[in-house]
């Protein structure tokens, strides 16, 4: 089994809405288990048919601790970056939209009752794929009694889980809402792709989106005017300051004569000699120019 525990993304805004969302989902699920929520309310919130309350309310319910903790880990790892990207006011409505899309897909292609935040989370994960495909995600794995850690580009990890969901739909059964997962994922992917293509959401100078990888030109970015040069230079200086601080915060000693740090653009880890501290370097993955932090 593979579980992600950290996505390496430079965030310039606190993802408060995601913190609150994780807390609300966790507390409501626990309250439902302890029967602090009336049984009639819980039953009305279960996804079963075309009830809008069921499609949205089911996001707050989970079957057991494994179901809840697994979902909240994914929401924490991928949701923080997306919340910081779209803003705290838009994040929760988008999450509910993806849950609604997953509920529609489940009702159309699977049927039966279902609970869990997985469809909303899959929409968030799909947005991460569009906006941060080459950013590193740190994971743990275990097979029987053996465990380990590794880093992987988010695109490969996310596509692996998507393939698992597609196989689940083809195979059928298993008690998992695979159709809901895919419905939420497609909603999140389509929206993120459209917003990026239209220029509503733009990558920072050092971010590489899925559209960049595919060679798709952003239709919403107007040609640059000479009058904007001064403003752009000021913005670049501010970004460099923020990203430099983020890089310094992630730096650590890895031995008496080594410095280990991460690129604030894509999250790739580097280990260099301590005597290189303070020098500028270029990330060989995203081409972001960064300053090697002090030991």
């Amino acid at each position: 089994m593979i579980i992600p525990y950290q996505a390496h993304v430079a965030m310039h805004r606190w993802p408060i809405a995601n913190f609150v969302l994780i807390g609300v989902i966790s507390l409501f699920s626990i309250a439902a288990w302890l029967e602090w929520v009336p049984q009639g309310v819980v039953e009305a919130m279960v996804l079963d048919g075309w009830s809008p309350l069921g499609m949205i309310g089911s996001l707050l319910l989970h079957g057991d601790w494994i179901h809840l903790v697994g979902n909240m880990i994914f929401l924490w790892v991928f949701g923080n970056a997306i919340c910081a990207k779209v803003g705290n006011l838009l994040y929760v409505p988008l999450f509910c939209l993806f849950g609604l899309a997953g509920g529609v897909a489940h009702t159309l292609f699977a049927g039966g009752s279902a609970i869990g935040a997985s469809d909303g989370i899959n929409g968030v994960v799909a947005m991460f794929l569009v906006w941060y495909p080459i950013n590193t995600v740190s994971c743990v794995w275990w097979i029987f009694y053996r465990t380990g850690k590794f880093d992987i580009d988010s695109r490969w990890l996310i596509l692996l889980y998507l393939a698992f969901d597609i196989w689940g739909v083809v195979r059928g059964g298993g008690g998992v809402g695979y159709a809901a997962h895919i419905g939420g994922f497609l909603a999140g992917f389509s929206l993120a792709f459209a917003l990026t293509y239209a220029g509503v959401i733009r990558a920072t100078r050092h971010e590489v989106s899925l559209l960049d990888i595919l060679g798709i030109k952003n239709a919403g970015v107007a040609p640059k005017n000479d009058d904007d040069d001064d403003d752009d230079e000021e913005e670049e200086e501010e970004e460099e300051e923020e990203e430099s601080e983020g890089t310094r915060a992630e730096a650590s000693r890895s031995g008496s004569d080594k410095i280990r740090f991460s690129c604030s653009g894509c999250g790739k880890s580097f280990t260099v000699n301590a005597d290189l501290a303070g020098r500028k370097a270029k990330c060989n993955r995203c081409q972001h120019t960064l300053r090697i932090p002090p030991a």
Side-chain angles (χ1 to χ4, degrees), residues 44-63:
M45 295 176 67
V46 173
L47 172 60
D48 190 6
W50 293 101
S51 168
L53 176 59
M55 291 186 180
I56 302 299
S58 60
L59 298 171
L60 300 176
L61 300 173
H62 290 80

Side-chain angles (χ1 to χ4, degrees), residues 260-276:
R260 189 176 188 276
F261 63 100
S262 298
C263 171
S264 57
C266 68
K268 182 175 180 179
S269 296
F270 296 93
T271 302
V272 300
N273 292 330
D275 57 4
L276 296 177

Side-chain angles (χ1 to χ4, degrees), residues 124-293:
V124 170
V125 171
M127 297 188 99
F128 195 100
L129 174 62
V130 174
W131 290 332
Y132 305 108
I134 67 171
N135 285 60
T136 302
V137 178
S138 297
C139 305
V140 295
W141 62 267
W142 71 85
I143 302 177
F144 298 109
Y145 298 105
R146 301 188 61 183
T147 63
K149 298 181 180 180
F150 67 97
D151 291 340
I152 186 174
D153 282 6
S154 68
R155 52 184 163 174
W156 306 125
L157 179 66
I158 293 171
L159 290 175
L160 175 64
Y161 276 103
L162 177 61
F164 181 78
D165 283 332
I166 293 173
W167 172 245
V169 169
V170 173
R171 182 189 59 185
V176 178
Y178 295 112
H181 293 182
I182 295 175
F185 187 95
L186 291 177
F189 184 91
S190 301
L191 181 60
F193 196 96
L195 291 175
T196 308
Y197 182 76
V200 177
I201 297 291
R202 300 185 183 183
T204 64
R205 291 184 306 117
H206 305 301
E207 291 176 353
V208 178
S209 73
L210 186 62
L211 279 73
D212 296 324
I213 293 176
L214 298 177
I216 299 175
K217 187 176 180 181
N218 187 325
V221 177
K224 183 179 177 182
N225 297 322
D226 292 338
D227 296 338
D228 298 331
D229 287 346
D230 293 339
D231 293 338
D232 289 346
E233 287 179 5
E234 289 180 6
E235 289 178 3
E236 288 178 4
E237 289 176 2
E238 290 177 1
E239 280 184 15
E240 285 180 359
E241 257 184 59
E242 291 174 348
E243 291 177 354
S244 178
E245 290 175 1
T247 303
R248 285 197 296 272
E250 292 181 358
S252 62
R253 292 300 295 267
S254 95
S256 59
D257 58 348
K258 300 291 183 181
I259 300 173
R260 189 176 188 276
F261 63 100
S262 298
C263 171
S264 57
C266 68
K268 182 175 180 179
S269 296
F270 296 93
T271 302
V272 300
N273 292 330
D275 57 4
L276 296 177
R279 297 189 183 182
K280 286 189 175 182
K282 181 170 286 190
C283 176
N284 58 9
R285 173 185 288 169
C286 68
Q287 304 305 308
H288 169 37
T289 300
L290 50 87
R291 189 177 296 278
I292 298 173

Side-chain angles (χ1 to χ4, degrees), residues 19-72:
F19 299 161
V20 173
L21 182 62
I22 291 172
V24 169
I25 292 174
S26 300
L27 291 174
F28 196 91
S29 293
I30 295 171
W33 298 341
L34 297 176
E35 298 183 352
W36 291 350
V37 181
Q39 187 64 27
V41 174
V42 173
E43 291 176 357
M45 295 176 67
V46 173
L47 172 60
D48 190 6
W50 293 101
S51 168
L53 176 59
M55 291 186 180
I56 302 299
S58 60
L59 298 171
L60 300 176
L61 300 173
H62 290 80
D64 52 37
W65 281 106
I66 295 177
H67 189 195
L68 175 63
V69 172
N71 273 352
M72 294 306 98

Side-chain angles (χ1 to χ4, degrees), residues 77-124:
V77 171
F78 297 103
N80 286 339
I82 299 306
C83 181
K85 188 76 167 178
V86 303
N88 289 297
L89 293 179
L90 285 177
Y91 179 72
V92 174
L94 289 177
F95 180 83
C96 292
L97 175 64
F98 304 149
L100 183 63
V104 170
H106 177 81
T107 302
L108 285 175
F109 301 107
S113 59
I115 56 174
S118 300
D119 37 3
I121 295 170
N122 271 269
V124 170

